[in-house]
Amino acid sequence: QVQLVESGGGTVQAGRSLRLSCAASGVIFSINTMGWYRQAPGKNRQFVASINWGGSTNYADYVKGRFTISRDNAENKVYLQMDSLIPEDTAVYYCNAVSGIIVYWGQGTQVTVSS
C-alpha cells in the first residue's frame, strides 16, 4: 500500500504562484511514476504532469511553460510549482502514484485562482 498526502493549495490572484507538495509513505520502493491531476467542478479529472524516478517529465499542453514538476527522492516527495496561474487552473489537485498496474491517489487539495 502507498499513502499520499497533498498540501499547499489555497486561493491566489491570477498571475501569482503556488507550490503543491505530495508526501508518499508505505511501500514506496514499488512506485515508478508520480504525477498530478486536477478536477474542476462539473468536469472530468485531467492529467497535469508526471515524473518518473529517472527524472523524465511529462506535461499537459495547457500547463507547459507555467508548471514544473519535481521530486525529492530522499524525502519521498513530489512537488508541483505553479506559476502564472489563471482562473482556469481552479480545481482540486490530486497527487497519484503508479506501482505496476496499481494507481494510488491522495485526497486532493483545492486551488482557487481569482481574476
Side-chain angles (χ1 to χ4, degrees):
Q1 286 280 13
V2 174
Q3 294 79 42
L4 304 172
V5 178
E6 303 101 331
S7 60
T11 300
V12 295
Q13 290 186 325
R16 303 297 292 270
S17 299
L18 275 177
R19 188 193 194 205
L20 305 183
S21 298
C22 175
S25 61
V27 188
I28 56 177
F29 69 86
S30 65
I31 299 172
N32 43 53
T33 301
M34 292 187 70
W36 291 92
Y37 283 68
R38 68 187 187 186
Q39 188 166 17
K43 296 188 176 181
N44 293 329
R45 191 171 296 188
Q46 60 178 189
F47 170 76
V48 175
S50 66
I51 186 168
N52 65 20
W53 282 160
S56 296
T57 58
N58 282 299
Y59 295 93
D61 287 343
Y62 36 82
V63 303
K64 276 182 182 177
R66 301 189 298 121
F67 290 11
T68 303
I69 190 170
S70 62
R71 81 224 191 282
D72 183 334
N73 289 342
E75 295 291 328
N76 300 317
K77 289 184 176 179
V78 173
Y79 304 98
L80 186 68
Q81 177 67 39
M82 305 186 294
D83 299 321
S84 302
L85 284 161
I86 59 177
E88 290 75 14
D89 293 321
T90 295
V92 177
Y93 283 71
Y94 296 91
C95 175
N96 86 340
V98 179
S99 174
I101 61 171
I102 301 174
V103 182
Y104 299 93
W105 294 94
Q107 82 287 351
T109 185
Q110 177 70 46
V111 172
T112 302
V113 184
S114 61
S115 57

